Amino acid sequence: MKTLHLHNTQQDIKQAAGILRRGGLVAMPTETVYGLAADALNGGAVRQIFEAKGRPMDNPLIVHVAEFEDIERLHLVKTIPEKAQKLNEAFWPGPLTIIMEKGEVIPDEVSAGLDTVAIRIPSHPDAHALLAESALALAAPSANTSGKPSPTTAEHVANDLDGRIDAVLDGGSCSVGVESTVITLATDPPRILRPGIITREQIEAVIGSVDVDRAVLNKLENNEKAASPGMKYKHYAPRARVILLRGDDEKYITYLNRLYRRDKSVAALCYTEDVAKTDAPCITMGSMDDEAQQAQALFDALRAVDELDGVTTVYAHCPEATGVGMALYNRLIRAAAFEVIDLPKKRIIGLTGQTGAGKSEVSRMLTELGATVVSADEAAREAVEDAQVKAMLCAAFGDVLNHDGALNRQLVANIAFSTPENTKTLNAITHPTIAAIMLDKAKKAKSDVVFFDASQLFEAGEDVFCDRIIGVIAERDIRMERLLCRDSITREEAALRMAAQFDEGFFLSMCDDILYNNGTREELYTGVRALYERSVNP
Ligand code: TXA
Ligand code: MG
């Protein structure tokens, strides 16, 4: 089918209304997002909406009307509760959807078999004109392919649905940008099923206390029933993986910049204020202090993610889930399939360096000076006792447990270090747990500053949590002598071990502070003390 591209002239609106009256599909602009409209009281017409979008049939639609009186005139609901009248006075026409007990005229396709129906009176002049001209109630979900970000321009609609619907009515960009707030009056107290630009606080000011459905901010458990069926589907998802970074603004930038230095396949989904500070490619979703602008920009930003070449993961600056932020968070967390990384609240200082350079000595000195030092080696010993890690090691390397179920560390070490491939596998299995253990220890520590002592700080991905990173470096010959002395290995073995590590240039480029350890213990101590003082009092 050829999709007509119509404009908001009187003639085009007449044509669109005609299509709807004949049971066709028209994408129409609303103040929130574009909706894919059909005659709400014509079950056959409504069924085509599900086909065009690829929408699961158990997900009910919102019925749009031009005027409040239409709800009663068309018998769309059983009775109009008093709270609906109050909400109408305060927010309609506008970005609010109210769920009430449905009238008998509502086809099963619209309500997906529920005994309620969702009603909304949009404020967009073109939507209003189309509703008035057609004299219909219009069922309209967002006019996107199911699972994709909702469309906020006619172009977004065309990208998804061109050739699958009769017409698009182009009314420019939607001003709100996120879908309407959905509230049900079928429960007592009323409950918000989907947050939008009209906030809980605004609603409570009109009808008193309301609940927020658990699924708004949390992932549904496997057997949990969705109050709003739309909540259970993965949503708003670009092809690239989206991960939310939750923490303060500076930590967000640090995480991204450190990651981007060693991984060029990442990008930022961030606020305009972040752009100047971020090295990675950025897609912006408005200004930090302007939530309305963020809402307006959000879906366009999510769609733009897929236009970045070579980007496989996008790290989003996580909004606070209050006020309008609740709507933003609700959409982003679904785009991220609930993947959130909590950034540490404390100041973290990484300590790393070449083998034999004296990192452990520095770590001891820091402890002496009173620093809280979290050791990656110690975390690694705890990590391999983790049941899931043990199971993964067995899956990768065969039965590596003793009779008592404890890990046979020697056996694991032998297998893991026998080939570079196996070492990689061991690291892939253990590193995430080691990092998690270290972050947990930092969280529980009494001090506000915590040092991460880790020879594989970068390989294990602990660097991204560090506000500063100290690299300990020494000349090759000196490191060689220290290794021979310390580990009773041959010169060849020591040379191999040194060659397997990053070179000095790597540490110079990735660390913020360098401690050269080519001289005496006293000289090293002086350097460590100076760095310690600077770290604790930045
Ligand atoms: O802003 C909007 O609401 C846009 C514009 C086009 O009006 N529409 C929209 O529709 O976002 P849609 O279908 O994408 O989202 C409707 C949401 C879904 O999560 C659906 O499950 C829920 O509302 N819903 C509809 N009827 C319901 C009902 N009777 N009970 C519970 N949830 C319902
Ligand atoms: Mg939708």
Side-chain angles (χ1 to χ4, degrees), residues 472-483:
V472 188
I473 275 179
E475 276 163 23
R476 192 184 140 78
D477 292 349
I478 295 177
R479 286 188 285 131
M480 175 68 91
E481 291 315 313
R482 287 195 190 127
L483 276 186

Side-chain angles (χ1 to χ4, degrees), residues 53 55 142 144 150 235:
K53 278 178 61 88
R55 179 179 176 108
S142 49
N144 52 311
S150 293
H235 242 109

